Amino acid sequence: MTLAIQEDEKRFFINNEKGEMIAEISFVPSGEKLSIIDHTYVDDVLQGQGVGKKLVALVVDKMRKEHRKIIPLCPFAKHQFDVTPEYQDIRQ
């Protein structure tokens, strides 16, 4: 099963073949130079596949391109920032 990660203005997400959302990370701009990761969700069918980590990495890449810092308020994202030294340059 190959599922495409989609993107809209404030999130990356994955829908299953029925169109149901099974993974998501949402982020909210805060001023001109910050974004807040406020929510991460991965359905049980995707657990253990590194989907959550991939979603965090996509937000990090996007915010680096936009020259924004990230405040990881979501507990999962905060943990990923805590254990990933490569993210420290973009963390607010």
Side-chain angles (χ1 to χ4, degrees):
M1 163 168 75
T2 313
L3 299 169
I5 297 175
Q6 301 173 66
E7 177 182 1
D8 63 24
E9 272 184 29
K10 297 183 180 176
R11 67 186 183 132
F12 288 96
F13 62 99
I14 300 171
N15 289 341
N16 66 14
E17 55 281 341
K18 297 176 189 169
E20 301 163 331
M21 196 256 314
I22 56 173
E24 173 185 55
I25 187 166
S26 59
F27 47 91
V28 183
S30 177
E32 293 182 21
K33 297 291 181 190
L34 287 175
S35 284
I36 297 166
I37 297 176
D38 61 353
H39 171 74
T40 306
Y41 166 75
V42 177
D43 189 273
D44 289 345
V45 300
L46 297 174
Q47 293 292 330
Q49 298 179 42
V51 173
K53 290 179 183 181
K54 175 69 173 165
L55 293 173
V56 171
L58 286 169
V59 176
V60 168
D61 290 345
K62 179 179 178 66
M63 294 307 129
R64 280 191 175 130
K65 289 175 187 162
E66 295 179 8
H67 306 289
R68 291 178 165 271
K69 297 275 187 177
I70 296 173
I71 301 170
L73 290 185
C74 155
F76 179 82
K78 181 183 180 312
H79 175 75
Q80 292 307 307
F81 273 73
D82 289 347
V83 300
T84 310
E86 299 82 27
Y87 293 170
Q88 298 318 304
D89 66 305
I90 197 166
R91 186 178 198 161
Q92 178 63 45

